[in-house]
Amino acid sequence: MEITGKKQEVAIISLLSIFIGLIVGGIDTLFGRVLLALTEFREAHFLYLIPFLAPVGMLFVYVFLNYGKTSSQGMGLIFQVGHNEEDLIPKRLTPFVIVGTWLTHLFGGSAGREGVAVQVGATVAHWIGKLIKGVDASQFIVIGMAAGFAGLFQTPIAASFFAMEVLVIGKLRYDALLPTMIAAFVASNTSAFLGLEKFSVALDVPITFDVWFALKLIVLGMAFGFSGWAFSDSLKWAKGFLVKYIPNAVRRIGIVGIILSILFVLFFQGRYSGLGTNLISFSFNGGTIELYDWLLKLIFTVLTVSAGFQGGEVTPLFAIGASLGVILAPVLGIPVVLAAALGYASVFGSATNTLLAPMLIGGEVFGFNYLPYFLIVCGIAFMCNGNRSIYGNQKIG
């Protein structure tokens, strides 16, 4: 199909965005519901499953490297296509990253899930975009990333701006705004209709905003910004260190997998395995959050991802931020749930080097009545992250 005019281009891409949202929302639902079931199974049989983390990881990496073609580059490939540096995302990326992430979580690795959603969304949109000629193919990467994120987290506004700002910091892809929003809302509503639950907390905290409270928010923003910086820098360092000293990918995931299995057992038998939703739940429901929870979740996630296990980083970042917020709240005299919510959003923003998306995450998950506080804290966190990012192929505009 060939496009002859700007209006026709917008109309056709917007129409295709509906199909992208439907397909990606359906895949996100299947992926997310199976992941939750595997998580429950792991929690019930942790000691039986954790010894297999290393051998399963080695087998998967061997198959992925030998049969996955360029899809083994993961998010790096998505960014390269988004920058028009590469032309093709193999369709096989979708089953590989989905199965790989399921295996990571089943056998106890500490990782997220957004990596799968974003990569799957980008892959689906990329191939649908090949149906038409004469358009910038990178638009479809943005559309697909937004659909993937929105279908999984059901935060379509935040997902749209995340996709538009994450490829190149300081340069929003406004040319893709309408189809991106369409795909995100369709994917979000599709996954909701199919039964994938959304995490949300209705904050109801009385706030007296004054200069003293504003200073507290600034301190919080700095703390969350530096923790996101620490995560992204640690991840970059760990990946470089492991590649240098254990260059063989299969051996690397095996050695680190054995170490992780031992550490997961020693440190409270799986408290830091999986997504980190247990820490998020504790943070907002009055559970016990220890002083070191956020730091250990950071370390275990960095080790898991840098070793080569499939997954992502965003949900663990939510957990790190929320649990750190719980620790800082009494020190600063801020309501615990508010500090946890601010940390949930801003640590994610700092580590991904994004500004608008975390603010909107705060609004869509915790209520737009508290948006001014998310604007302050996420803004400070963004300024304190030193332009670091968990995405190595991210560019600065």
Side-chain angles (χ1 to χ4, degrees), residues 38-235:
L38 293 176
T39 297
E40 291 181 6
F41 186 81
R42 184 198 69 239
E43 291 172 348
H45 305 88
F46 175 76
L47 292 177
Y48 296 100
L49 294 169
I50 194 66
F52 295 98
L53 180 62
V56 168
M58 293 175 71
L59 177 61
F60 177 79
V61 167
Y62 175 81
V63 174
F64 201 15
L65 291 176
N66 283 278
Y67 301 100
K69 291 188 176 181
T70 56
S71 59
S72 60
Q73 298 175 35
M75 283 294 293
L77 178 62
I78 302 302
F79 273 73
Q80 288 170 13
V81 176
H83 295 316
N84 290 316
E85 297 169 353
E86 292 287 344
D87 298 324
L88 185 67
I89 303 174
K91 287 183 248 186
R92 66 187 70 189
L93 181 146
T94 295
F96 268 114
V97 296
I98 287 176
V99 172
T101 302
W102 282 343
L103 293 174
T104 297
H105 286 274
L106 176 61
F107 293 100
S110 175
R113 53 187 172 175
E114 95 298 332
V116 174
V118 169
Q119 291 177 66
V120 168
T123 304
V124 171
H126 171 74
W127 282 96
I128 290 179
K130 284 186 168 293
L131 298 174
I132 60 176
K133 299 177 182 179
V135 298
D136 181 0
S138 64
Q139 283 190 62
F140 284 92
I141 299 300
V142 175
I143 293 166
M145 291 174 72
F149 197 102
L152 195 61
F153 294 110
Q154 293 173 15
T155 54
I157 303 175
S160 298
F161 281 90
F162 173 77
M164 289 192 295
E165 69 177 322
V166 74
L167 290 173
V168 182
I169 295 304
K171 183 180 179 182
L172 285 175
R173 289 295 305 264
Y174 286 119
D175 60 323
L177 176 60
L178 178 60
T180 296
M181 294 286 282
I182 290 172
F185 273 93
V186 171
S188 177
N189 282 281
T190 298
S191 65
F193 177 77
L194 294 175
L196 188 64
E197 293 185 7
K198 173 187 176 180
F199 171 75
S200 62
V201 175
L203 292 182
D204 185 17
V205 182
I207 302 294
T208 301
F209 189 82
D210 52 21
V211 174
W212 182 234
F213 187 76
L215 289 174
K216 292 179 180 180
L217 293 180
I218 291 172
V219 172
L220 268 185
M222 294 173 65
F224 294 144
F226 287 128
S227 63
W229 177 352
F231 185 96
S232 54
D233 259 17
S234 298
L235 185 61

Side-chain angles (χ1 to χ4, degrees), residues 16-26 143 147 182-184 186-188 190-191:
L16 291 177
S17 294
I18 297 174
F19 292 102
I20 291 170
L22 289 169
I23 295 169
V24 174
I143 293 166
I182 290 172
V186 171
S188 177
T190 298
S191 65

